[in-house]
Amino acid sequence: MEWKLVREDSGSIAVRKGDLDSKFAAMPWAREWLGNNADHDRYRLQPEGDDREMLMIRTITGQWYGMFVGAEAGAT
């Protein structure tokens, strides 16, 4: 399955990875890439298809955390 990291503020794709088969495989890849390459504090980890995406947030200490984003989170 293809996964991508999308910069939250601009919506631009930062990187893609095509050979990860689950969220459990995608999270370590995303954290490593973000730790070495991120130039912003918020990204979205998005899987191919309609699966739930994750918001990746960098803390003040430099750690990256992922939170699931529900469909109702952006609804008004």
Side-chain angles (χ1 to χ4, degrees), residues 6-13 40 42:
V6 178
R7 199 174 143 138
E8 180 73 7
D9 64 337
S10 67
S12 62
I13 297 172
H40 190 60
R42 291 177 182 244

Side-chain angles (χ1 to χ4, degrees), residues 1-25:
M1 178 184 303
E2 182 177 85
W3 291 78
K4 59 187 172 185
L5 282 167
V6 178
R7 199 174 143 138
E8 180 73 7
D9 64 337
S10 67
S12 62
I13 297 172
V15 65
R16 294 177 191 261
K17 180 81 169 163
D19 58 352
L20 302 170
D21 60 355
S22 70
K23 285 183 182 73
F24 297 110

